[in-house]
Amino acid sequence: MANDDQFKKVISHAKEYGYVFQSSEIYDGLSAVYDYAQNGVELKKNIRDYWWKAMVQMNDNIVGIDASIFMHPTTWKASGHVDAFSDPLIDNKDSKKRYRADVLVEDYCAKIEAKIEKEVKKAAKRFGDAFNKEEFVSTNGRVVGYQEKIDSILKRLGQSLEKEDLADVKALIEELEIACPVAGSRNWTDVKQFNLMFGTKLGASAETAMDLYLRPETAQGIFVNFLNVQKTGRMKIPFGIAQTGKAFRNEIVARQFIFRMREFEQMEMQFFIKPGTQKEWFEYWKETRLKWHKSLGLGDENYRFHDHEKLAHYADAATDIEFKFPFGFKELEGIHSRTDFDLKQHEEFSGKKLQYFDHEDKANYTPYVLETSIGLDRMFLAVFSNALVEEELENNTTRTVLKLPAVLAPNKAAILPLVKKDGLPEIAKQIVEDLKWDFNVTYDEKDAVGRRYRRQDANGTPFCITVDHDTLEDNSVTIRHRDTMEQKRVKIEDLKEIIKAEVDVKHWLKKMK
Ligand code: GAP
């Protein structure tokens, strides 16, 4: 399938160009654990910074923290993770492969979804400019039928999971005649729950060591610090606490590269609000977060909301921002109205009051919380897979280009002397020296300049700056734009402003307004 091929290309490109490596590869790797390489670490950092700037720097009522990965074990009892942080798993008796039961059903629905897309594409071709997608999907009999089928399957799945009716989840898999992708058989075990937290020990001796968990989400580090931050920062509701950091989950089905990992990074923000205002804030953060995504220009049509049928134990409303990955629309970010569940639980388990005194209302209350939670690695995959394109050129050749948003690109410019002599490398290196105070830039003198352009295109570098013999005469260079391949002659002294105009965070974040 074309999309499978595209995904394979994404994975091999990520390795070949120094973005993502399999962890401990020389020992044949570790399943669902990855290392970020020299370019990947920069892209990841830039995504993290882009999020941090939008959430913390641009909002005077949101502050950041960096809580520890280890937390007191009671945290996880209070949060409900010890008792309820599990996935429903099912084994195929023939292949001995283990699956998440809900994912099997969702994948089944994704296949129906693909049929809808096919119908839409066909109709768009048939009707041309007169095509109205919204009208088509709401009136075409076949499409409406497909959509009704998806809705009813997901509704039943949600209800069964909500009621912990695992026998019905198995019945649903059997009724839909879902087969094991490996064995092709429908010889399934019963569905069981499996806790996803990794356990570890704190302390030197076996008798006194304390059982700990590696945090499965960063959010709890924010909840337990709620009062510390509120008091020391003199924060007034509504206010938010943001943090980025590692989280760990013993995922049953870890696949799809960095989409679902066992060690990953989250960027989360808990927004503390007055009880009763959660609906408005839910809408506000839905809209604000979608604008953040769209500001990066990955294509508005690649996002959609998916409201949850099955709500987590802490939520009274929840939606996912889904992104169109090479393997279809999947969750990229979660927006959850978490009520006062977490603070109340920590109050009960710690015996400490976690309340807020509202000076306007002259009353104490436990704040409600609106959470935005995005996986940094998943965002990396969204950006990277969207950026990788093969372009047909006019001279019947193709080029591979990584059209990363310039604000996120690991290197902003590559400085290339046309030849390795006549003083050109010295000038190129001086340009590197001058620009590196403001941007990550790289120097490349190996191979013909055309090949170097292609290499930088595939690396995602937005600008190539070539120093040639005319530079010796007039201090000008050629600047080549990665996406348009357009070349312009400019003065060396103007380079900084030209690059800044395209890579400056301000220029990108302003699109959110
Ligand atoms: N505090 C809420 C929370 O953790 P979640 O929906 O379980 O909610 C939030 O996770 C986000 O974290 C997801 O939308 C996804 O982007 C990312 N995420 C979750 N599990 C992941 C995994 N195993 N690998 C990579 N990213 C993951």
Side-chain angles (χ1 to χ4, degrees):
M1 269 164 68
N3 285 350
D4 277 356
D5 289 348
Q6 168 66 5
F7 192 37
K8 280 186 193 139
K9 274 189 195 144
V10 166
I11 297 170
S12 66
H13 196 89
K15 180 173 179 194
E16 193 182 339
Y17 286 87
Y19 277 85
V20 183
F21 300 149
Q22 174 91 60
S23 156
S24 2
E25 196 190 74
I26 58 168
Y27 295 107
D28 296 333
L30 191 61
S31 164
V33 188
Y34 291 89
D35 296 340
Y36 287 88
Q38 66 277 17
N39 282 322
V41 73
E42 296 289 343
L43 172 57
K44 196 175 171 199
K45 177 180 156 295
N46 292 342
I47 296 173
R48 194 191 293 111
D49 286 351
Y50 194 67
W51 182 86
W52 191 267
K53 286 212 157 85
M55 300 301 274
V56 180
Q57 193 171 323
M58 300 311 293
N59 289 296
D60 51 16
N61 61 348
I62 300 182
V63 292
I65 63 163
D66 182 15
S68 302
I69 287 173
F70 291 145
M71 297 184 70
H72 193 284
T74 310
T75 309
W76 307 110
K77 196 74 198 143
S79 66
H81 284 80
V82 171
D83 297 323
F85 192 56
S86 44
D87 277 342
L89 68 87
I90 189 165
D91 293 296
N92 182 274
K93 291 182 195 163
D94 300 320
S95 67
K96 310 274 184 263
K97 290 276 174 206
R98 180 161 279 187
Y99 299 93
R100 258 179 68 175
D102 54 337
V103 172
L104 281 181
V105 176
E106 281 164 10
D107 284 352
Y108 179 90
C109 291
K111 283 187 190 141
I112 311 179
E113 180 93 41
K115 288 185 189 167
I116 297 181
E117 280 199 24
K118 216 167 157 186
E119 294 290 337
V120 169
K121 260 195 197 145
K122 261 189 349 205
K125 209 166 163 191
R126 193 160 10 114
F127 295 116
D129 287 346
F131 182 61
N132 179 331
K133 184 176 169 189
E134 248 166 57
E135 193 186 320
F136 177 75
V137 293
S138 60
T139 53
N140 178 276
R142 198 174 296 166
V143 170
V144 170
Y146 286 146
Q147 192 57 51
E148 280 173 1
K149 188 166 180 194
I150 294 175
D151 292 345
S152 97
I153 293 170
L154 292 180
K155 187 163 181 207
R156 178 162 157 204
L157 176 70
Q159 284 168 347
S160 311
L161 291 171
E162 184 78 48
K163 288 186 289 185
E164 291 279 320
D165 185 354
L166 299 182
D168 192 55
V169 177
K170 182 179 180 188
L172 181 59
I173 288 172
E174 286 174 339
E175 280 167 39
L176 297 174
E177 300 188 343
I178 296 175
C180 166
V182 176
S185 78
R186 298 197 281 269
N187 193 8
W188 297 111
T189 61
D190 288 343
V191 179
K192 282 177 273 178
Q193 290 290 9
F194 174 83
N195 194 293
L196 300 181
M197 282 197 293
F198 282 106
T200 185
K201 299 224 178 258
L202 181 95
S205 80
E207 302 83 61
T208 56
M210 192 186 211
D211 284 317
L212 289 190
Y213 295 104
L214 297 184
R215 66 180 179 198
E217 62 171 12
T218 57
Q220 298 304 322
I222 294 179
F223 288 121
V224 300
N225 279 300
F226 155 72
L227 214 52
N228 282 341
V229 173
Q230 190 272 318
K231 290 222 147 54
T232 56
R234 301 155 74 92
M235 307 300 290
K236 283 208 180 82
I237 275 179
F239 74 92
I241 306 178
Q243 96 164 307
T244 70
K246 288 274 174 123
F248 303 83
R249 296 182 189 179
N250 196 3
E251 296 284 358
I252 304 163
V253 191
R255 61 189 164 129
Q256 289 164 325
F257 192 38
I258 55 172
F259 180 80
R260 197 179 299 286
M261 301 157 90
R262 297 203 162 103
E263 174 183 340
F264 58 100
E265 192 165 336
Q266 289 187 314
M267 308 190 286
E268 299 202 296
M269 193 276 301
Q270 314 293 325
F271 200 66
F272 297 91
I273 54 174
K274 197 169 166 178
T277 62
Q278 66 268 32
K279 275 209 172 74
E280 294 154 46
W281 285 113
F282 184 63
E283 292 309 321
Y284 172 83
W285 282 110
K286 266 176 79 169
E287 195 190 325
T288 305
R289 292 302 304 145
L290 189 63
K291 278 189 194 161
W292 180 84
H293 286 282
K294 289 184 174 174
S295 72
L296 286 168
L298 307 189
D300 292 3
E301 69 286 2
N302 290 323
Y303 300 92
R304 69 180 189 195
F305 286 115
H306 170 240
D307 295 331
H308 288 207
E309 285 284 341
K310 176 189 186 260
L311 290 172
H313 56 274
Y314 49 74
D316 72 358
T319 196
D320 295 335
I321 296 178
E322 292 189 337
F323 182 76
K324 196 170 182 192
F325 289 96
F327 38 83
F329 272 102
K330 293 274 177 197
E331 174 185 349
L332 173 58
E333 169 158 6
I335 296 158
H336 311 124
S337 171
R338 289 182 81 127
T339 67
D340 55 4
F341 175 85
D342 302 85
L343 289 180
K344 282 237 164 98
Q345 286 291 104
H346 287 304
E347 227 176 29
E348 190 186 323
F349 279 74
S350 67
K352 310 269 168 25
K353 247 192 162 31
L354 294 175
Q355 294 199 348
Y356 173 79
F357 182 72
D358 194 318
H359 286 276
E360 271 169 31
D361 291 3
K362 308 246 174 307
N364 271 312
Y365 57 77
T366 308
Y368 269 40
V369 171
L370 229 294
E371 170 185 72
T372 70
S373 174
I374 173 168
L376 176 49
D377 313 84
R378 227 171 250 195
M379 185 62 197
F380 184 112
L381 182 59
V383 169
F384 192 89
S385 57
N386 183 274
L388 186 62
V389 287
E390 293 263 321
E391 257 181 17
E392 299 276 341
L393 301 179
E394 278 169 8
N395 58 1
N396 281 335
T397 58
T398 56
R399 68 162 185 156
T400 302
V401 50
L402 194 59
K403 293 189 170 178
L404 295 172
V407 65
L408 302 181
N411 280 310
K412 307 305 185 198
I415 325 298
L416 324 170
L418 187 66
V419 289
K420 271 193 270 181
K421 56 182 185 183
D422 304 335
L424 303 189
E426 287 74 12
I427 300 177
K429 282 178 189 165
Q430 187 55 50
I431 295 176
V432 170
E433 281 306 307
D434 293 343
L435 291 179
K436 77 181 186 193
W437 292 92
D438 296 285
F439 319 107
N440 268 359
V441 291
T442 181
Y443 174 82
D444 190 1
E445 61 175 24
K446 198 170 172 289
D447 300 321
V449 77
R451 286 189 68 174
R452 281 181 270 166
Y453 284 158
R454 289 286 180 277
R455 193 153 59 225
Q456 293 303 332
D457 287 346
N459 254 325
T461 312
F463 294 105
C464 282
I465 294 159
T466 307
V467 176
D468 57 23
H469 292 95
D470 287 346
T471 312
L472 299 170
E473 307 295 320
D474 61 4
N475 260 350
S476 70
V477 288
T478 300
I479 187 161
R480 173 185 178 273
H481 200 281
R482 176 197 66 198
D483 297 347
T484 58
M485 293 188 292
E486 216 173 68
Q487 303 192 11
K488 256 195 207 154
R489 204 72 198 169
V490 299
K491 290 277 176 215
I492 292 178
E493 70 217 40
D494 295 336
L495 283 173
K496 188 174 140 189
E497 286 310 313
I498 294 171
I499 298 170
K500 193 165 166 230
E502 281 213 28
V503 308
D504 198 7
V505 132
K506 189 159 81 180
H507 158 75
W508 291 79
L509 274 184
K510 275 198 167 164
K511 293 184 201 160
M512 280 181 75
K513 294 277 169 230

